[in-house]
C-alpha cells in the first residue's frame, strides 16, 4: 500500500502538557477566533478548536475536509431526546448543531470552503476510516486533504457503555507526496488486540510519545518516519 | 429614548437565549433592526426567539404571518408584542 505523507498537524486537548509543542493548544476553552462571533456562539468547545485548527491547515479554504467523531455531540443530542420524551419543545439552534456534520458545516460557512466536507462515525474505527477515505480522495486528483478526529466524553448516564474518553481534537494535512517538513505515514497489517483509538492517542503519536497506533477493528497499524535525515 | 424595564428584560432574554457571548444589554439599540443588519440575528435565531416568547410569556406566533416580521423588527416592536399579548 502506498505511503502517505503528513504535511502538518494541529491538536487541542486540556488533558496534555504542550511541552513547547506549538501545534498543540492545551487551553480549557479554545479561542474559536477563526469563526465570527455570531457563528462561534453556537459551537461547543470541540467545534471552536476544530474550526481554529482547520483555519491554520486550510488557509485558502480550498481543501477537502474529513471529520470523524465516534459520538459527536452526544450531550446535546441525548439531552434533546430526553427533553422530547418529557414533551418539551426543541431548541432549533441546538437541533441544528446536533447533527454529525455540524462543525464541518459551520467551518464551511465561515471560511467559504466549497469543497467536499465529510462527516464520519465508525463505531471505534474512525482513524482507519479517515485514512481509507483519504486514500480515496488522493486517488481522485486531490494532492492533499485535511482530516479531523475529535471526541468528547460520553454523557454520564451512558458512560458505562463506552471506553473512557477525554475531550480532544486533532487535525492533519495528509498528502500523497512529501513536502519539505513532511513525515512518511506508512500503514501495515496488525493482528495484536489494542484499545480503540481515540483522538488523544493520535496526539500522543504525533508528539512521539508512542511509536505507532493501531486500529483493532480494521487490523491496520500506522507509523511515522522523518523524510529528511 | 430611555429603555423600559420590559425592554431591558427582553434584552437579557435575547442575550441569554441566543448565547450572544460578546453582546451586552447596552449594545442593543431598541430602534435598530434585530435581524441581518443591526444586531445581525438570523432565521434560526427567529425560531429560537419565538420559542423563548412561548415559554416565558405564553405567546404563540404564526411563523408565516407578515405580522411576525413586524413584531421582530426591533426590540421596541417586540416589547409592544409582549405587552399586548402576554399570558404570563
Amino acid at each position: 500500500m502506498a505511503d502517505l505523507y503528513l504535511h502538518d498537524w494541529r491538536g487541542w486537548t486540556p488533558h496534555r502538557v504542550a511541552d513547547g509543542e506549538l501545534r498543540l493548544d492545551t487551553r480549557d476553552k479554545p479561542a474559536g477566533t477563526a469563526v465570527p462571533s455570531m457563528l462561534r456562539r453556537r459551537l461547543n468547545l470541540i467545534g471552536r478548536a476544530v474550526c481554529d485548527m482547520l483555519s491554520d491547515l486550510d488557509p485558502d479554504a480550498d481543501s477537502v475536509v474529513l471529520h470523524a467523531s465516534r459520538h459527536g455531540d452526544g450531550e446535546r443530542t441525548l439531552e434533546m431526546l430526553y427533553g422530547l420524551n418529557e414533551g418539551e419543545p426543541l431548541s432549533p439552534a441546538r437541533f441544528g448543531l446536533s447533527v454529525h456534520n455540524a462543525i464541518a458545516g459551520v467551518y464551511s460557512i465561515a471560511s467559504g470552503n466549497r469543497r467536499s466536507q465529510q462527516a464520519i462515525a465508525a463505531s471505534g474505527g474512525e482513524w482507519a476510516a479517515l485514512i481509507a477515505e483519504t486514500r480515496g480522495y488522493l486517488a481522485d486528483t486531490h494532492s492533499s486533504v485535511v482530516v479531523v478526529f475529535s471526541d468528547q466524553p460520553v454523557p454520564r448516564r451512558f458512560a458505562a457503555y463506552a471506553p473512557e474518553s477525554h475531550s480532544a481534537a486533532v487535525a492533519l494535512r495528509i498528502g500523497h507526496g512529501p513536502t519539505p517538513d513532511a513525515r512518511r505515514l506508512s500503514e501495515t497489517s496488525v493482528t495484536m488486540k489494542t484499545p480503540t483509538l481515540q483522538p488523544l492517542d493520535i496526539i500522543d503519536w504525533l508528539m512521539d510519545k508512542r511509536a505507532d497506533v493501531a486500529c483493532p477493528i480494521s487490523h491496520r497499524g500506522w507509523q511515522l518516519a522523518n523524510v529528511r535525515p | 429614548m430611555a429603555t423600559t424595564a420590559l425592554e431591558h428584560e427582553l434584552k437579557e432574554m435575547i442575550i441569554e437565549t441566543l448565547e450572544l457571548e460578546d453582546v451586552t444589554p447596552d449594545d442593543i439599540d431598541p430602534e435598530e433592526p434585530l435581524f441581518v443588519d443591526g444586531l445581525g440575528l438570523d432565521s434560526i435565531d427567529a425560531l429560537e426567539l419565538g420559542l423563548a416568547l412561548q415559554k416565558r410569556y405564553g405567546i404563540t406566533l404564526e411563523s408565516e404571518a407578515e405580522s411576525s416580521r413586524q413584531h421582530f423588527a426591533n426590540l421596541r416592536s417586540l416589547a409592544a408584542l409582549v405587552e399586548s399579548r402576554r399570558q404570563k
Side-chain angles (χ1 to χ4, degrees):
Chain A
M1 191 169 283
D3 286 342
L4 300 173
Y5 290 87
L6 169 63
H7 293 175
D8 202 357
W9 67 274
R10 295 290 184 277
W12 170 76
T13 180
H15 302 285
R16 289 290 184 271
V17 176
D19 230 359
E21 174 55 75
L22 299 177
R23 289 171 289 195
L24 181 65
D25 181 356
T26 58
R27 288 174 290 184
D28 287 339
K29 186 174 183 179
T33 47
V35 178
S37 62
M38 291 302 275
L39 275 175
R40 183 170 64 233
R41 66 196 161 112
R42 294 186 179 139
L43 291 172
N44 60 12
L45 296 181
I46 293 278
R48 287 169 177 251
V50 168
C51 287
D52 281 352
M53 295 190 298
L54 286 174
S55 173
D56 279 355
L57 296 181
D58 181 34
D60 297 328
D62 196 34
S63 296
V64 168
V65 173
L66 313 176
H67 181 198
S69 173
R70 182 171 186 180
H71 302 293
D73 193 345
E75 195 71 53
R76 208 178 294 202
T77 310
L78 289 166
E79 285 313 313
M80 278 195 310
L81 290 175
Y82 280 105
L84 274 178
N85 189 47
E86 287 160 21
E88 292 174 6
L90 276 182
S91 155
R94 284 177 183 267
F95 176 75
L97 267 291
S98 68
V99 295
H100 211 60
N101 61 353
I103 295 173
V106 169
Y107 171 71
S108 172
I109 293 168
S111 67
N113 184 327
R114 292 174 181 269
R115 296 281 185 184
S116 294
Q117 317 275 317
Q118 190 174 339
I120 299 168
S123 297
E126 283 71 26
W127 176 254
L130 279 174
I131 296 297
E133 292 292 335
T134 296
R135 290 190 185 282
Y137 279 102
L138 294 182
D140 187 26
T141 72
H142 297 278
S143 59
S144 70
V145 301
V146 177
V147 306
V148 181
F149 185 17
S150 72
D151 254 312
Q152 56 193 336
V154 175
R156 194 176 304 161
R157 46 186 151 189
F158 289 89
Y161 303 99
E164 186 184 5
S165 60
H166 301 285
S167 293
V170 60
L172 307 88
R173 171 173 285 285
I174 298 174
H176 56 49
T179 54
D181 294 317
R183 298 173 80 186
R184 184 181 293 112
L185 199 171
S186 54
E187 184 169 340
T188 53
S189 177
V190 295
T191 53
M192 203 165 50
K193 183 104 176 107
T194 53
T196 302
L197 274 180
Q198 298 191 23
L200 211 48
D201 299 320
I202 303 298
I203 290 174
D204 288 343
W205 178 52
L206 293 169
M207 292 179 72
D208 295 323
K209 290 179 176 170
R210 53 189 291 169
D212 49 29
V213 288
C215 172
I217 297 172
S218 66
H219 304 293
R220 312 298 294 172
W222 297 268
Q223 299 82 37
L224 282 172
N226 291 331
V227 175
R228 289 195 303 194
Chain B
M1 197 180 287
T3 303
T4 66
L6 177 59
E7 285 172 351
H8 189 77
E9 184 178 304
L10 286 170
K11 284 182 180 186
E12 290 185 332
M13 184 191 82
I14 289 170
I15 290 169
E16 184 190 333
T17 304
L18 306 182
E19 300 178 270
L20 302 175
E21 55 186 28
D22 297 332
V23 178
T24 67
D26 289 344
D27 295 331
I28 304 176
D29 184 328
E31 303 281 0
E32 285 287 311
L34 289 171
F35 291 86
V36 191
D37 299 324
L39 194 54
L41 304 183
D42 60 23
S43 56
I44 295 177
D45 292 318
L47 294 170
E48 202 71 48
L49 219 44
L51 188 63
L53 289 173
Q54 188 184 344
K55 278 184 179 173
R56 187 173 294 199
Y57 302 109
I59 297 170
T60 304
L61 294 169
E62 301 76 31
S63 58
E64 299 301 325
E66 176 62 26
S67 58
S68 296
R69 190 182 294 267
Q70 289 162 9
H71 295 319
F72 281 15
N74 57 38
L75 190 82
R76 198 133 284 164
S77 56
L78 199 58
L81 167 76
V82 172
E83 199 83 76
S84 63
R85 289 180 48 186
R86 65 187 302 169
Q87 306 291 314
K88 51 186 177 183

